[in-house]
């Protein structure tokens, strides 16, 4: 293919609000509320507190709000902080198109769009359009570079491209400006890291995780630079440029950037979650819950809980006990015990994990849980790209078994807007109060297209 960059930018610039269905607008409401919930809850997480401590002290022009912190900062800095806050709770959305491709477009796009949108007093209509097209770039580029190199952990690099596309739409760039901004974003984007650097296997896990803060910062800065004489490559998406190698892949299928564009949108097929953990853990936790509830089991009657997982996932998630709040999202034994004990996932799972680890009631449950490697599940993962959770529970008198592929929140079993509202209130109320949380929900739901995004952030 030739002129890929120009063709892609043209289709972005030619897509406007009138092109979106009612479903796409409703799905965008979900995406915004879900990501904002993570941004707000993440302010209290160690990752969020650290980002605020380091960057908020820099000060600067008051342009964009860090909700929950209560102050405005320069738009690129606010985008960085709120992006990093998103990963604190590990509750961000996923793009998972019938495969194990995992990307988190909300944390990749929405912090930058909201920060820049507040800076320029954008309307809600412009915000929605920017987010939809930002998601499109993140999801399509992820598809275009699959499969990625297994030794590299890489989302953040192409996150910058999605955030940049959102910002390009907000600023209403012409074709030349937009291509330039995308090229600059690719240059400023964070590099991927190797698996050991990310800390997936060698604990404790990296606090930067998917590095959405870096990506959102790079995107806002790229678009600000593009308004000057600063020049970037105009060939970022071309095959010969080989930018895909920087994003952690030896593969590039540019047709994925264009296939069915405008017929359906990435944001229509997003997976959401309420358990603060990596998506790979959730089928096992769900299988445990179902066995316990369907058979009316009391934990005191349970002798043993065996959690089976694909070999490579079991090796990653068997780590126990969690030593940091970041570790909690990857420790399936901790997460399963917490679900059995509390039955209601919430911020305290990662904020107060040290307290829970010391409780006798928690220790009694955790002592009954084993995480085991399963070769057959590994084959299914590799051949069918399915992540299955398999759990066996024994009471001594009887044995129960359950296999789960999809948990609620997947596009095949989606959360309703009301489910996302409930998640938003749960995560944001402890930080900003119930009244302010409910006010945000109502304004996003009402979607007064001409309303200024700054009005929503007023008083936060």
């Amino acid at each position: 293919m030739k002129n890929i960059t120009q063709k892609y930018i043209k289709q972005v610039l030619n897509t406007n609000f009138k092109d979106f269905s009612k479903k796409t607008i409703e799905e965008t409401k979900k995406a915004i509320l879900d990501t904002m919930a993570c941004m707000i809850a993440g302010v209290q997480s160690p990752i969020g507190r650290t980002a605020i401590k380091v960057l908020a002290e820099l000060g600067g022009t008051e342009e964009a709000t860090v909700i929950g912190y209560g102050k405005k900062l320069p738009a690129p800095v606010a985008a960085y902080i709120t992006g990093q806050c998103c990963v604190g709770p590990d509750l961000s959305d996923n793009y998972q198109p019938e495969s194990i491709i995992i990307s988190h477009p909300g944390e990749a796009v929405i912090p930058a769009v909201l920060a820049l949108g507040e800076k320029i007093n954008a309307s809600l209509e412009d915000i929605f359009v920017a987010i939809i097209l930002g998601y499109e770039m993140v999801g399509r580029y992820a598809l275009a570079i699959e499969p990625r190199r297994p030794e590299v952990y890489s989302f953040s690099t192409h996150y910058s491209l999605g955030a940049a596309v959102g910002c390009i739409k907000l600023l209403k760039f012409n074709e030349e400006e937009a291509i330039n901004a995308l090229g600059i974003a690719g240059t400023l984007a964070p590099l991927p890291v190797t698996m050991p650097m990310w800390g997936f296997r060698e604990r404790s896990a990296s606090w930067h995780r998917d590095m959405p803060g870096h990506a959102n910062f790079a995107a806002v800065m790229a678009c600000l630079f593009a308004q000057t004489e600063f020049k970037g490559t105009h060939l970022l998406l071309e095959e010969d440029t080989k930018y895909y190698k920087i994003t952690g892949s030896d593969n590039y299928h540019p047709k994925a950037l264009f296939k069915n564009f405008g017929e359906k949108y990435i944001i229509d097929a997003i997976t959401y979650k309420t358990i603060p953990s990596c998506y790979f853990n959730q089928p096992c936790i769900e299988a445990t819950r179902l066995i316990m509830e369907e058979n009316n089991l009391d934990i005191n009657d349970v002798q043993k809980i065996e959690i089976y997982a694909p070999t490579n996932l079991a090796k990653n998630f068997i780590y126990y006990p969690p030593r940091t709040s970041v570790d909690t999202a990857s420790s399936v034994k901790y997460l399963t015990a917490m679900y059995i004990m509390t039955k209601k996932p919430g911020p305290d799972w990662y904020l107060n994990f040290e307290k829970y680890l010391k409780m006798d009631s928690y220790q009694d449950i955790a002592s009954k849980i084993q995480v085991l490697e399963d070769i057959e599940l590994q084959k299914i993962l590799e051949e069918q790209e399915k992540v299955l959770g398999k759990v066996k529970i024994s009471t001594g008198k009887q044995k129960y078994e359950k296999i789960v592929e999809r948990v609620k929140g997947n596009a095949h079993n989606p959360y309703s807007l009301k489910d996302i509202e409930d998640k938003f209130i749960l995560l944001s109320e402890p930080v900003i109060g119930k009244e302010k949380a409910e006010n945000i929900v109502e304004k996003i739901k009402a979607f007064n297209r001409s309303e200024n995004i700054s009005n929503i952030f007023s008083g936060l």
Side-chain angles (χ1 to χ4, degrees):
M1 294 182 68
K2 299 290 185 181
N3 303 317
I4 299 169
T5 310
Q6 183 184 41
K7 289 178 182 177
Y8 191 81
I9 287 298
K10 278 186 174 181
Q11 68 183 12
V12 166
L13 298 183
N14 290 332
T15 303
N16 296 294
F17 185 81
K18 62 179 175 57
D19 299 306
F20 305 132
S21 67
K22 183 178 179 180
K23 172 180 169 56
T24 297
I25 298 304
E26 290 301 300
E27 293 300 327
T28 306
K29 292 178 183 179
K30 288 185 191 178
I32 292 172
L33 287 174
D34 190 80
T35 299
M36 286 183 70
C38 295
M39 288 164 53
I40 295 169
V43 167
Q44 293 188 336
S45 72
I47 291 176
R49 292 199 304 268
T50 300
I52 290 170
K53 181 178 180 180
V54 171
L55 292 173
E57 292 180 359
L58 298 176
T61 307
E62 296 182 353
E63 296 177 332
T65 305
V66 178
I67 307 177
Y69 173 60
K71 294 182 180 179
K72 291 187 177 185
L73 296 166
V77 177
Y80 186 105
I81 292 174
T82 52
Q84 287 303 105
C85 284
C86 280
V87 297
D90 207 331
L91 282 162
S92 298
D93 61 15
N94 299 327
Y95 176 51
Q96 185 190 9
E98 293 299 328
S99 72
I100 59 168
I101 299 171
I102 295 293
S103 195
H104 305 289
E107 67 185 31
V109 173
I110 292 178
V113 168
L114 292 182
L116 185 59
E118 189 176 4
K119 171 183 167 65
I120 66 172
N121 297 314
S123 69
L124 268 186
E125 178 178 315
D126 288 342
I127 293 291
F128 272 54
V129 172
I131 288 171
I132 293 167
L133 290 170
Y135 268 61
E136 207 65 18
M137 179 82 256
V138 171
R140 287 177 175 275
Y141 197 83
L143 288 169
I145 62 173
E146 288 295 324
R148 305 172 203 177
R149 292 196 296 269
E151 70 273 14
V152 175
Y153 185 83
S154 174
F155 295 137
S156 55
T157 308
H158 79 268
Y159 277 1
S160 296
L161 308 186
V165 164
C167 293
I168 284 166
K169 285 297 287 187
L170 276 183
L171 293 170
K172 304 185 187 304
F173 280 168
N174 61 34
E175 184 180 310
E176 172 73 17
E177 293 168 331
I179 292 174
N180 190 43
L182 187 69
I184 298 171
T187 303
L188 299 182
L191 288 172
V193 296
T194 65
M195 277 292 189
M197 287 171 65
W198 183 69
F200 204 58
R201 296 179 176 86
E202 298 296 329
R203 313 319 269 194
S204 60
S206 168
W207 275 25
H208 285 296
R209 299 294 293 277
D210 305 326
M211 296 184 288
H214 301 66
N216 281 275
F217 178 86
V220 177
M221 289 298 296
C223 287
L224 296 179
F225 275 128
Q227 294 176 303
T228 71
E229 295 181 1
F230 197 110
K231 299 299 179 185
T233 178
H234 283 207
L235 304 172
L236 188 76
L237 301 180
E238 307 308 315
E239 294 179 86
D240 291 344
T241 303
K242 300 188 185 302
Y243 187 71
Y244 58 91
K245 290 185 175 292
I246 302 298
T247 63
S249 180
D250 291 321
N251 306 286
Y252 186 41
H253 315 288
K255 289 183 179 179
L257 298 174
F258 303 96
K259 185 178 179 180
N260 299 325
F261 191 99
E263 296 177 20
K264 53 184 179 180
Y265 292 95
I266 300 296
I267 208 164
D268 294 336
I270 297 299
T271 295
Y272 299 99
K273 56 185 179 180
T274 56
I275 299 172
S277 76
C278 175
Y279 178 81
F280 292 132
N281 284 329
Q282 303 212 14
C284 292
I285 301 168
E286 179 68 358
T288 304
R289 182 188 72 81
L290 289 172
I291 293 176
M292 297 290 290
E293 291 186 2
E294 291 174 356
N295 298 284
N296 198 28
L297 297 181
D298 187 292
I299 188 60
N300 294 317
D301 298 325
V302 172
Q303 290 186 351
K304 183 168 58 176
I305 300 174
E306 295 175 321
I307 297 174
Y308 296 83
T311 303
N312 66 347
L313 298 183
K315 288 179 179 178
N316 292 328
F317 296 122
I318 202 169
Y319 179 83
Y320 184 82
R323 294 190 303 194
T324 71
S325 69
V326 178
D327 276 335
T328 61
S330 298
S331 181
V332 68
K333 182 174 180 177
Y334 171 79
L335 293 162
T336 303
M338 286 299 297
Y339 207 110
I340 292 171
M341 186 169 76
T342 67
K343 296 182 175 60
K344 187 176 182 180
D348 59 316
W349 280 26
Y350 54 88
L351 293 177
N352 300 311
F353 76 98
E354 292 172 308
K355 178 188 73 174
Y356 283 114
L357 288 175
K358 295 175 183 177
M359 290 183 178
D360 292 339
S361 54
Y362 167 85
Q363 292 177 16
D364 178 61
I365 298 171
S367 68
K368 301 177 180 182
I369 300 173
Q370 292 179 286
V371 183
L372 304 169
E373 299 177 20
D374 191 303
I375 296 175
E376 290 303 313
L377 292 182
Q378 180 64 31
K379 289 182 180 177
I380 292 173
L381 175 66
E382 294 173 354
E383 296 173 3
Q384 302 180 35
E385 293 190 318
K386 292 182 179 179
V387 181
L388 302 183
K390 177 180 175 182
V391 174
K392 295 181 181 180
I393 294 181
S394 174
T395 63
K397 296 180 180 179
Q398 195 165 352
K399 292 183 179 179
Y400 305 87
E401 181 176 338
K402 178 75 72 173
I403 295 177
V404 169
E405 177 183 350
R406 296 189 179 105
V407 297
K408 186 176 180 181
N410 187 280
H412 295 274
N413 184 18
Y415 280 138
S416 66
L417 180 55
K418 180 61 167 59
D419 291 327
I420 300 298
E421 290 174 38
D422 292 343
K423 175 181 174 180
F424 183 90
I425 298 298
L426 173 69
L427 294 179
S428 61
E429 182 179 346
V431 184
I432 64 175
K434 187 174 183 179
E435 182 178 352
K436 291 180 179 179
E438 290 178 342
N439 185 52
I440 292 174
V441 168
E442 290 309 311
K443 287 188 174 182
I444 296 298
K445 282 175 58 181
F447 183 48
N448 179 349
R449 290 163 55 182
S450 62
E451 182 168 16
N452 194 297
I453 187 66
S454 299
N455 294 337
I456 295 177
F457 286 116
S458 179
L460 297 173

